[in-house]
Amino acid sequence: MVRTTKGFGSNKDRNRRYKLKQRERDENREKDNDSDPQRAAPSPPQRTSARRQSRVDLSRLETASLRKYRRVYKLSDVGNGAKEDLVSAVARHFQSQVMEQEQEEETLLAFAMTLRQQAVSRQNGGMV
């Protein structure tokens, strides 16, 4: 038996709603740009700044997780392997990653949907 939570549709429905909202936002931006001649020039895709303050507190990760991050991304500039050294090296690497705004939004949406699916699965006793 498949249960759906009231207010939440299938992934296809959520994706359609998301894409529809994106299109509406883009159309509204175009209308705003058409009415304002100074803003009419198209702007390049926004990128997240590598210099911005991180919203992720990497110091809350366990040392084993930080070591795995170091190993996966082949970070060599880690001092003696103490947690503080790992946190600073991982934070530098994490902040140096540049991602287009659209890609960031899609990634966060996919992550949120995955968390939601896991929560529903746990509520239903492992049945999705």
Side-chain angles (χ1 to χ4, degrees), residues 4 29-30 64:
T4 57
R29 286 182 189 146
E30 287 176 12

Side-chain angles (χ1 to χ4, degrees), residues 11-47:
N11 284 340
K12 286 183 181 180
D13 292 337
R14 283 191 290 263
N15 287 337
R16 278 191 211 115
R17 286 193 302 266
Y18 176 74
K19 290 187 186 258
L20 180 63
K21 286 181 183 180
Q22 272 187 321
R23 267 189 243 126
E24 289 173 355
R25 253 186 277 137
D26 292 343
E27 289 172 2
N28 288 337
R29 286 182 189 146
E30 287 176 12
K31 287 178 188 176
D32 290 344
N33 287 341
D34 291 342
S35 63
D36 188 358
Q38 290 180 340
R39 295 175 57 191
S43 60
Q46 292 182 349
R47 294 181 177 266

